[in-house]
Amino acid sequence: DIVMTQSPDSLAVSLGERATINCKSSQSVLYSSNNKNYLSWYQQKPGQPPKLLISWASTRESGVPDRFSGSGSGTDFTLTISSLQAEDVAVYYCQQYYTNPRTFGQGTKLEIK
Amino acid sequence: QVQLQESGPGLVKPSETLSLTCTVSSGSVISFYWSWIRQTPGKGLEWIGYIYYSGSTNYNPSLTSRVTISVDTAKNQISLKLTSVTATDTGVYYCTRHEGGGYNAYWGQGTPVTVSS
C-alpha cells in the first residue's frame, strides 16, 4: 500500500496569513504515460463529509476560492492557503488514487491563531 | 448536481452483517465509478472499495474477505455489505462518485454505524 504522511498534524495560523500543509507518499503517484500526479486534497469541516478541493495535485475544483492551491510532483505535495479566512478552519486530507488500495493521509487540523 | 444519500441501520451487533444503501438523485449511476469510504476513530479515512456501473469491483485487500459492493441501475443505488463486523467497524460510512482518474468528486453526507451488542 502507498502510505500518505501529512505534516504537520495540526497548524495554527493567523487570519490573513499563509497556511502550508505537506503530504508525502511512500512511492511516486506520478503516472509517466500522461505526466499526471494522481493526488487529491479534501477539506472536512465538523459534521460534514470531506469536500474535494484539488485533483491532479494542482487542479482547483470549480467554486473553490483561488486562495487554495496545490503543488508538487512524484512523492512530495503541498496545499497552500494564501490568506487564511475564518471559514477555512477544518481538517485537510490528501489522497492518492494512483493505485489500489486508495489511501488517505492522516489529516491536518487547521486552526486560527 | 448529483446527490448521494446513504441509508441503513445505525446499530449492528458484533458478528452480524452491516448493510448500507446509497441512493443517487439528480444523476445516474450509469457510466460512473462509485466508492464506499469509511471514517473510523482507529484508521481515519479508509477506502473500502469501488464499483463500476457495469458491476466490476475492486476492494481494499484489508477488507476483501468481508466486503461486497453491488449496483442496481434500475433503482439508481449502490449497496455495501460488510460481514462479521466488530467494534473496529464503527464509524461513518460515505459513498462517493469518481471523476477523472478516480478522485472522489461527490460525497454523500455519510451515515454513522455503531457496532455494539
Side-chain angles (χ1 to χ4, degrees), chain B residues 56-85:
Chain B
S56 63
T57 55
N58 197 301
Y59 300 139
N60 192 321
S62 68
L63 296 168
T64 191
S65 63
R66 300 195 291 132
V67 171
T68 303
I69 298 176
S70 58
V71 62
D72 186 329
T73 55
K75 292 184 177 179
N76 231 26
Q77 292 178 333
I78 304 100
S79 296
L80 169 71
K81 290 190 187 302
L82 183 66
T83 63
S84 304
V85 297

Side-chain angles (χ1 to χ4, degrees), chain A residues 1 38-40 42 44 47-52 54-56 61 93 95 97 100-106, chain B residues 35 37 39 44-47 50 58-61 94 98-110:
Chain A
D1 299 5
Y38 284 60
L39 189 284
S40 53
Y42 302 87
Q44 187 176 30
Q48 297 184 19
K51 172 189 173 184
L52 177 67
I54 288 171
S55 58
W56 305 117
E61 290 302 297
Y93 297 93
Q95 186 216 357
Y97 47 101
N100 298 324
R102 315 301 177 83
T103 47
F104 291 84
Q106 79 279 16
Chain B
S35 272
I37 292 169
Q39 190 164 28
L45 287 167
E46 182 181 23
W47 173 74
Y50 66 66
N58 197 301
Y59 300 139
N60 192 321
Y94 298 100
H98 294 195
E99 292 289 331
Y103 53 87
N104 301 287
Y106 300 95
W107 295 65
Q109 284 299 306

Side-chain angles (χ1 to χ4, degrees), chain A residues 19-24 39 41 54 57-58 69-73 76-81:
Chain A
T20 301
I21 298 170
N22 300 301
C23 175
K24 188 175 184 66
L39 189 284
W41 288 96
I54 288 171
S58 61
S69 64
S71 62
S73 185
D76 291 280
F77 302 90
T78 300
L79 174 69
T80 301
I81 307 172

